[in-house]
Amino acid sequence: PRKVLQLLRLKQLHNGVFLKVNKPILQMLKLVQPYVTYGYPSLKTVRELLYKRGFAKVHKQRIPISDNSVITTSLGEKGIYGME
């Protein structure tokens, strides 16, 4: 199971990852089912995670996403004005 956890990018305790659902991923999840919890995230959960732990790369610097102004200033010319 340790190799499967590494393939799923779960290398530490209390880590989380987002994965695309496909047949090989589901088979790996079945192997490590006693050790992990998995399911579909809600929009509220994803939003809270991005605002709490999300970072944007602006001018080769890692800046925390605190509100939509960070996204608007860096991606406004491409038509992206916020997280929503």
Side-chain angles (χ1 to χ4, degrees), residues 5 8-19 36-39 41 45 49 53:
L5 289 171
L8 293 173
R9 296 176 301 183
L10 295 170
K11 298 180 181 184
Q12 288 181 338
L13 200 62
H14 304 297
N15 272 9
V17 294
F18 291 107
L19 300 167
V36 299
T37 301
Y38 59 93
T45 306
L49 274 173
R53 300 279 183 177

Side-chain angles (χ1 to χ4, degrees), residues 7-8 16 22 28-29 32 42 45 58 76 84:
L7 288 172
L8 293 173
N22 55 31
M28 286 192 276
L29 283 174
V32 295
S42 67
T45 306
V58 180
E84 312 308 322

Side-chain angles (χ1 to χ4, degrees), residues 2 4 8 23 51 62:
R2 188 175 298 241
V4 176
L8 293 173
K23 194 169 182 179
Y51 278 127
R62 198 169 170 244

Side-chain angles (χ1 to χ4, degrees), residues 14-62:
H14 304 297
N15 272 9
V17 294
F18 291 107
L19 300 167
K20 285 188 178 182
V21 178
N22 55 31
K23 194 169 182 179
I25 295 289
L26 288 175
Q27 288 174 345
M28 286 192 276
L29 283 174
K30 283 181 185 175
L31 289 173
V32 295
Q33 191 171 10
Y35 312 107
V36 299
T37 301
Y38 59 93
Y40 294 99
S42 67
L43 183 62
K44 179 183 175 235
T45 306
V46 174
R47 185 178 291 130
E48 287 174 357
L49 274 173
L50 284 176
Y51 278 127
K52 185 175 180 181
R53 300 279 183 177
F55 286 88
K57 212 166 190 182
V58 180
H59 303 297
K60 297 182 182 177
Q61 292 181 339
R62 198 169 170 244

